Amino acid sequence: MEYKIVNARLLYKESFLEGEILIKDGKTHRVSKNIQENLPKIDAEGKLLLPGLIDPHAHLRDSLLSYKEDFDTGTSAALAGGYTLLLDMPNTKPQIDSPERIKKRIEEAKGKINCDVGFYSLAFPNSDFSSLFKAGAIAIKIYLHKRFRDEEWSYENLRKVMKELSKFKRVLAFHAEELDPPFELDKYDVFLHSSFHDERAEIRAVKKIIDLAKDYDLPIHFCHISTPQALEEIYYTKLKGLNLTLELTPHHLLLDDSYFKLGNIALVEPPLRALEDVMELRKALYEGKVDMIGSDHAPHTIDEKLEEKPLPGFPNLEISFSLLNTLTDKFDVINLIKLMSINVARRFGLKKVGAIEEGYKANLFLFDPKEEWRIDPLRFLSKAKYSPFQGFLVRGKVKKTLLRGNIVYEDGVILKRGLGEVII
Ligand code: DOR
Ligand code: ZN
Ligand code: ZN
């Protein structure tokens, strides 16, 4: 398979080039103003040609949670949003926490994923990380606010994990909220039916992890940071030389707690915060203090969202890039690609992805930065057809997505299924 894409504004070496790209054997073979060879061609019609997005944080579900989302629908949603590689979270059913489970998940994914996927594993204090990585885990995740086998994530347990993991160059990612905060319950409880999502729960958790991380040499990643205080704490500790990164989500950047008016649909962990916090997070984003954006695509059935004890999370893959692009008057597409592709590849050691470069995988998407459209969750390819962003007018639309040179998505339709590979 050899062809060229012509008439594109392509992101090449950190700026836009009006040019052409030759795709051969699934790779970007050459980038140039003009490709001389007489080959079949695709006309980009002047649209932006960008490296496929990489999500550090998605919940594809499948297995016993296939009723919420499965490999096919989750990765279809990804392609529709311009993503070509996702890192899948391990809080599945059964959960991913052993080499056997990782192997089984990889086997199950084969032939069913429409974009590339890497799999997280959970950790226990006595996990055999060498076997987990050999089995194919890409990184490790800890939910600090969840018990495991009736135990809590004490300092001692965390130390065991960090010590063992520091032998490997793999990322340890945290959902950073404290399990039992030593403070009074407050207004969020009414909404969240739980006691541990106060802002202070995140700030304390972050401080605890940083405190421990000072003693070990390993890459630590903070998922979905939602408070400016936690963000600053991480940022300034990073400046002192600790190996930390942090991720923000589209919802914590675009929605404040007034969206609680939508009821359970807007329920998410960590929860939406006050408007002034949201504005502070945006400011930090514009100031370059943020490493990446994760979708935290977390689909549930609508019934599960509307129950008395509703489940947190909502589907985001299809709209993350357009939402962020709409936010970006102070902030251009080039920066966005850093946050949603290059930086993720770099942090997680993902090879030959994250940029349009000779020899890199031709994982790409065509984006019309001007097209305005209204978010209609009923059109989502995800099984979850609701969103707190319903009705938002956004700017910029994904037109086509390419996976190793194959046009796998075009204008709302998946053209080729099952071409995704598991990244290990
Ligand atoms: O809102 C959330 N949903 N936060 C989490 O940490 C888990 C996620 C899920 O898996 O549904
Ligand atoms: Zn989480
Ligand atoms: Zn999550």
Side-chain angles (χ1 to χ4, degrees):
M1 181 181 60
E2 199 174 347
Y3 67 95
K4 55 187 179 178
I5 302 176
V6 300
N7 197 15
R9 292 193 61 217
L10 53 96
L11 182 55
Y12 186 59
K13 302 209 187 286
E14 302 206 18
S15 61
F16 278 105
L17 171 81
E18 314 260 338
E20 305 186 351
I21 165 173
L22 193 163
I23 291 173
K24 190 176 171 181
D25 302 329
K27 293 182 187 144
T28 296
H29 190 70
R30 198 176 333 125
V31 177
S32 152
K33 278 212 108 28
N34 202 299
I35 303 277
Q36 299 294 340
E37 286 93 328
N38 186 17
L39 288 168
K41 59 185 171 195
I42 293 172
D43 187 348
E45 296 168 348
K47 302 201 170 55
L48 304 187
L49 186 62
L50 304 169
L53 303 176
I54 307 175
D55 192 355
H57 190 152
H59 300 266
L60 288 176
R61 315 291 194 204
D62 207 273
S63 306
L64 295 174
L65 300 179
S66 290
Y67 66 92
K68 296 177 195 257
E69 189 81 294
D70 61 29
F71 284 133
D72 176 54
T73 53
T75 56
S76 294
L79 294 177
Y83 288 92
T84 49
L85 170 51
L86 311 175
L87 303 187
D88 175 58
M89 286 297 172
N91 62 337
T92 45
K93 207 170 174 182
Q95 65 181 22
I96 306 305
D97 59 8
S98 68
E100 294 69 39
R101 288 268 167 82
I102 277 278
K103 279 186 204 149
K104 186 144 186 271
R105 188 137 173 98
I106 290 174
E107 276 317 304
E108 285 171 358
K110 279 184 186 156
K112 293 198 196 123
I113 44 178
N114 304 323
C115 70
D116 293 349
V117 179
F119 292 108
Y120 274 94
S121 170
L122 293 166
F124 298 119
N126 58 353
S127 289
D128 173 358
F129 292 112
S130 173
S131 303
L132 277 173
F133 296 133
K134 268 193 206 120
I138 197 101
I140 302 296
K141 174 80 182 272
I142 288 179
Y143 291 84
L144 214 62
H145 64 312
K146 298 257 155 83
R147 286 190 177 78
F148 57 95
R149 298 173 181 157
D150 290 331
E151 276 194 75
E152 292 180 16
W153 280 109
S154 62
Y155 272 75
E156 194 191 339
N157 282 332
L158 286 168
R159 278 192 186 283
K160 279 188 195 155
V161 169
M162 287 190 188
K163 183 163 182 246
E164 192 57 29
L165 257 185
S166 56
K167 297 176 188 158
F168 307 87
K169 291 260 172 293
R170 299 287 190 135
V171 172
L172 173 59
F174 280 98
H175 180 124
E177 289 187 287
E178 283 267 281
L179 179 57
D180 287 308
F183 38 77
E184 291 297 303
L185 311 189
D186 68 10
K187 61 178 175 163
Y188 291 120
D189 301 317
V190 180
F191 186 73
L192 288 162
H193 309 273
S194 63
S195 61
F196 45 85
H197 299 288
D198 188 285
E199 301 206 339
R200 289 165 293 181
E202 178 174 284
I203 297 160
R204 275 174 178 274
V206 163
K207 286 190 171 156
K208 177 177 180 178
I209 296 158
I210 287 176
D211 203 25
L212 285 158
K214 289 191 175 107
D215 296 337
Y216 304 95
D217 179 20
L218 79 162
I220 288 181
H221 178 67
F222 290 93
C223 300
H224 51 46
I225 288 299
S226 65
T227 65
Q229 296 95 317
L231 188 152
E232 295 281 308
E233 188 77 31
I234 297 163
Y235 179 70
Y236 286 104
T237 311
K238 191 167 69 170
L239 287 190
K240 285 186 210 151
L242 249 71
N243 191 354
L244 311 176
T245 45
L246 74 95
E247 149 202 313
L248 299 186
T249 66
H251 42 283
H252 292 116
L253 281 164
L254 279 117
L255 305 176
D256 62 71
D257 59 9
S258 71
Y259 281 84
F260 287 176
K261 67 180 182 236
L262 298 177
N264 299 340
I265 293 294
L267 180 80
V268 64
E269 291 176 6
L272 304 177
R273 305 296 189 188
L275 180 61
E276 58 194 57
D277 287 351
V278 172
M279 296 320 261
E280 288 284 321
L281 292 185
R282 281 191 208 173
K283 187 160 163 275
L285 182 78
Y286 301 146
E287 289 171 353
K289 293 178 175 173
V290 174
D291 300 289
M292 57 191 94
I293 308 282
S295 77
D296 202 359
H297 180 83
H300 300 285
T301 66
I302 188 71
D303 287 346
E304 288 171 324
K305 291 298 286 180
L306 300 180
E307 277 162 10
E308 202 178 322
K309 279 206 161 195
L311 296 180
F314 35 75
N316 266 348
L317 279 169
E318 286 156 86
I319 52 178
S320 293
F321 194 75
S322 294
L323 283 168
L324 267 298
N325 186 60
T326 309
L327 187 71
T328 57
D329 281 345
K330 292 193 189 141
F331 202 67
D332 61 18
V333 167
I334 299 181
N335 272 318
L336 219 42
I337 290 294
K338 280 188 190 149
L339 291 162
M340 298 179 75
S341 192
I342 305 169
N343 290 1
V344 188
R346 225 173 256 159
R347 183 54 161 172
F348 288 87
L350 310 165
K351 302 276 173 352
K352 304 279 180 201
V353 291
I356 301 181
E357 229 172 281
E358 286 86 349
Y360 273 43
K361 290 180 193 172
N363 291 354
L364 309 163
F365 72 109
L366 260 188
F367 187 68
D368 180 345
K370 298 228 170 69
E371 185 173 334
E372 293 197 347
W373 56 290
R374 220 169 262 288
I375 291 177
D376 175 7
L378 291 176
R379 303 180 76 121
F380 282 178
L381 302 182
S382 167
K383 285 190 187 178
K385 300 195 193 298
Y386 54 82
S387 169
F389 295 107
Q390 173 168 2
F392 270 50
L393 186 66
V394 289
R395 193 179 59 232
K397 195 147 211 264
V398 174
K399 310 304 286 181
K400 289 186 197 346
T401 307
L402 281 69
L403 188 69
R404 283 181 294 281
N406 298 285
I407 303 174
V408 283
Y409 170 86
E410 185 170 356
D411 294 329
V413 181
I414 302 295
L415 300 181
K416 286 185 186 156
R417 313 190 98 85
L419 294 187
E421 290 178 358
V422 176
I423 304 298
I424 54 173

